[in-house]
Structures are given as C-alpha cells and as structure tokens.
Amino acid sequence: MNEKQLVGEKAVEYIKDGMVVGLGTGSTAYYMIKKLGKLVQEGLNIKGIPTSKQTAALASEHGITLVDFKNVKQIDIAIDGADEFDADLNLIKGGGGALLREKIIANAASAFIVIADSSKAVKKLGGFPLPVEIVKFGADMTLQKIAGLGCEPRIRVDGNQAYITDNGNYIIDCDFQEIQSPEELESQLNMIPGVVENGLFVNMAESLITIKNGVLVEETR
Ligand code: 5RP
C-alpha cells in the first residue's frame, strides 16, 4: 500500500455514524473517499459535503450521500490532504485548486484532520508555491500587489489557457521559497483587493495523519 492510501484509509477511523463529513480534494483524499464509500455500502450512515466538483463526482460514484450548507447545521469533521505541513501543523494547500472551498469547510468543521504522505513535511512552508485564488477583474494589478509581498507570482495554466477554479476565479502560484510568518502572510494576502483566499491554513488542523520513518503516526496540535 502506498503512503497516500495508508493515511487516507486510516482517517476514516475518525468518522462515526450520523456524522456530516467534509470531503477533501486530491490524490490522498481519493483513498479516504473510496474507503468511506465501502463503509457506507456496509451500512455506515454519514453525509458528505464536498470541497470540489471533482470530489462531489468521486463521492457520488462511491455511493456517499452529499449535502450542502443549506441542509446542514454543522460539519462534524473535515478530512483533507496538504501540499506542505510544518511542525505546528500549519499547511499549504490548493495544489489541486480547491483551496477556497477547502478552507470554508475546514473552518466550519468541529474537527479538521489532515492526511499527508511523508514528502509533505517541511521545516518552513514555502518551497511549494503558495496558491492564491483571485478574481479575474484587475488580475494584473492584483498580481503586482502580491509580488510586493516578496514572491514571484504566476497565473496557473491548464494546457494553453488559464486554470479556472470551481468558483470561476484564477489561481496564482506564488513562489516565496521560505515563509517566515505564515499567520502574517495569510492575512496580508487576504487584505489585497481581488484576493479571494489563499492556501495558508494556519492554526486550523487539529490532527495530522502521516508517515514517519516508515511508520504511520498521528499528531495533534
Ligand atoms: C487540493 C489540495 C490537496 O489537498 C493538496 O494539493 C494535496 O494533494 P494530494 O493529496 O494529491 O497530494 O489542497 O486543493
């Protein structure tokens, strides 16, 4: 079993009957959703709230009933992957372009559990270019403002066109190399008009399931 499968399948142990579950996006979340689908077929009664159209399709394919914010009073748990995590369980997310819905759902959930293979562990966040979702209007100006925070921003492309999120926006990948203060940068970015949200998830993860020295470990903040 590969690391993504190990951590993804482990995470479903947190899910109990009757829960509303935030379903993450990406290749690690894929294994969690697939396993959850199996448990649902065996009788587990849960509802899922997806972080992307891609995850909605995957979850439906695996027999998971989906709900949206109109139909739920609370989200009990959200489980999602990460592109990087540090020792404080701060994260960079959005490699899959779903950071806005991921952050809304992680923030709304009573517990947010991260599943990440060992390659995602870093001393300092920023080696992975930080994804920032921006509206199309005034994008050139927004890019300049983002660059002013000390990075090299570039509009994400899909083939020869700009990548468009589920929310109809652009993703800007920002190469900061090393982020000294994730908390400060998270709010500085969100202060720029045109920025919708960024992929820094600071003080949000309650637990992390990962692999250390070949062993599955669970860390709590
Ligand atoms: C999607 C994300 C993913 O969680 C992140 O990119 C990790 O992906 P993977 O599990 O495929 O490595 O933030 O927007």
Side-chain angles (χ1 to χ4, degrees), residues 134-146:
I134 69 163
V135 296
K136 291 178 182 170
F137 183 83
D140 293 328
M141 178 53 68
T142 310
L143 238 77
Q144 277 184 41
K145 298 273 180 196
I146 293 174

Side-chain angles (χ1 to χ4, degrees), residues 98-110:
L99 67 97
L100 175 59
R101 296 186 187 197
E102 291 175 334
K103 203 181 247 190
I104 291 171
I105 287 177
N107 178 258
S110 302

Side-chain angles (χ1 to χ4, degrees), residues 125-208:
L125 299 175
F128 187 93
L130 175 66
V132 178
E133 182 156 347
I134 69 163
V135 296
K136 291 178 182 170
F137 183 83
D140 293 328
M141 178 53 68
T142 310
L143 238 77
Q144 277 184 41
K145 298 273 180 196
I146 293 174
L149 294 177
C151 69
E152 272 186 36
R154 55 180 191 280
I155 297 187
R156 187 178 295 183
V157 291
D158 183 8
N160 54 5
Q161 287 180 338
Y163 173 88
I164 304 296
T165 69
D166 285 353
N167 317 299
N169 298 317
Y170 292 144
I171 292 284
I172 310 301
D173 291 306
C174 303
D175 193 359
F176 279 98
Q177 312 263 334
E178 274 200 359
I179 295 172
Q180 300 308 330
S181 171
E183 195 164 6
E184 198 181 336
L185 182 60
E186 184 184 18
S187 49
Q188 283 174 327
L189 281 165
N190 286 359
M191 291 287 286
I192 297 173
V195 169
V196 181
E197 193 47 87
N198 69 81
L200 282 166
F201 283 49
V202 178
N203 298 328
M204 289 183 78
E206 181 182 301
S207 299
L208 165 78

Side-chain angles (χ1 to χ4, degrees), residues 4 25-29 80-83 93-99 102 117 120:
K4 289 185 188 223
T25 295
S27 56
T28 317
D80 206 345
D83 299 299
K93 285 186 52 54
L99 67 97
E102 291 175 334
D117 61 83
K120 310 292 180 61

Side-chain angles (χ1 to χ4, degrees), residues 56-76:
L58 179 70
S60 296
E61 199 183 297
H62 288 275
I64 298 170
T65 303
L66 297 179
V67 283
D68 67 23
F69 277 96
K70 283 197 270 309
N71 315 113
V72 293
K73 286 201 183 66
Q74 64 171 60
I75 300 174
D76 297 292

